Amino acid sequence: MPASRRGSGSFTLLTGQTIAIHTRTQDEEDLPHATKKTMADHLRKYESLFTLTPQRMRMIVEAFTETLELGLNKPNQIVPMIPTFVFGWPTGQEKGDFLALDLGGTNLRVCLVTLQGDGKFEISQTKYRLTEEQKQEDGQKLFDFCAECLNTFVETNTGEGEGQLKPGQSLPLGFTFSYPCSQERIDHGELIRWTKGFGAGNTEGRDVAEMFKQSLEKFQLPIKLTALINDTTGTLIASHYVNPKTKIAVIFGTGCNAAYMEHVKDIAKMEHLGIDPGADMAINCEWGAFDSFEHEHLPRTKYDIIVDDTSNKPGEQAFEKLISGRYLGEILRLVLCELIDEGVLFLGQNTYKLEKPYCFDTAFLSLMESDPTDELLMIIGIFTHFFALETTLAERQFFRALAKLIGRRAARLSSCGIAAIVSKMGYLEEGCSVGADGSLYNKYPGFADRVHEGLQDIFGDKGRNIVTYHAEDGSGVGSAIIAAMTKHRKDAGLYVNV
Ligand code: BGC
């Protein structure tokens, strides 16, 4: 019996696009479709490929913990465990006006942050979309664009009113540059490699803080670059500013990464710098690189291998490629393409739209998982609107189950990373809060619950002591707090300039 298709309407995607759902009268058995049984058989196969057992997770955590130690002991490791020169926690009393520039994976954001003390702040901000071309063209041009946006922001926000920049007011700037950079001091950072699909030329191996300063000079802006920070470090500090129980920060967005506070005495590779061993310093783990090149520990399916081989950086960011928002949609698309090639899905229909790499947005996975209708109308909408494909209920149930497998694997692997830091730092007994941010964490239904479930699979009941929560805006507020902390250290003659 054909499924009834009552209820036409429209849905708005997380991306802002609206998709219309049309009521159809046509019998869905008109086209040759896979039977319910075929789809169930296939699902079983993918279940075994994408499911992580607690035992396997514990093995990953063990290898991960060793990798973190290695990165702290020796320079230039695959997981580089980058010392950030952010010393200790904020007091919560940091105050003043700061600019923050955030070059993330998708957007460029400029913020004016007013820190009011007592963990309070105000923020006004403007977002600029980055084009694919800008991500690939010459790096200096990219920084020129950043400076131009900053210039526009300063011009539009200068005035005599409340929360505005005063004419000629010189401001410290925290620059959140969310790519792996090795730092010798807080206002320096040599780009180790681009991630998240960026490939701007003449930038890897260079000091991006210096490049950005050159761009700033072109606009003669009254701005001083005070700190170059990673989004995870910003998130760590911003989250601690408002919730002092926070010990770890994680980002699950276009990319994925974590930061935490380490004892300087336990960072063996920094010993020669003679920094007070009693001090603490935030470490930007750059854990997205875990298991890169060697691929010894992570369970990669053939779809993950294709994603890796066809990326602009084969071999790199192995952990990130199984988890982050940039890749999950592509993994699902590759499974669908395999089933098309095997003649299981969409027989007699034109599938060219679905065959385009990266056309299947990770937002579709979250929409598919959260479709509230029995008929899975949202999934009908996605497939008809974006790919001009007809689907049966059995197929849609299969797509939803597949999205769940891929989303759940990403969340469980994320718990392995968190568990590795928890084990390394001995936080399990006393427990800790983990500030988390990024589109996957914030928008993917059940992601946080699955991370928590994963932590319990790894640690048993004690896993409940580790709680993630939606973090404060690290790239804006965090960056401003770090700029304030740095200014304070400099004023007190404590600036570490090595
Ligand atoms: C970058 C990190 C960043 C993470 C989240 C990764 O691709 O290497 O520096 O923290 O994405 O934005």
Side-chain angles (χ1 to χ4, degrees), residues 63-76:
F64 216 129
T65 314
E66 282 170 18
T67 306
L68 300 182
E69 295 281 6
L70 194 67
L72 289 176
N73 292 337
K74 296 191 183 156
N76 310 322

Side-chain angles (χ1 to χ4, degrees), residues 104-105 177-181 193-196 230-232 251-258 284 286 288 317 320:
F177 182 76
S178 305
Y179 306 88
C181 287
R193 63 183 97 86
W194 284 117
T195 58
K196 300 182 273 204
N230 186 263
D231 50 359
T232 51
I251 303 279
F252 301 115
T254 312
C256 90
N257 190 15
N284 162 20
E286 286 298 337
Q317 298 296 97
E320 175 162 287

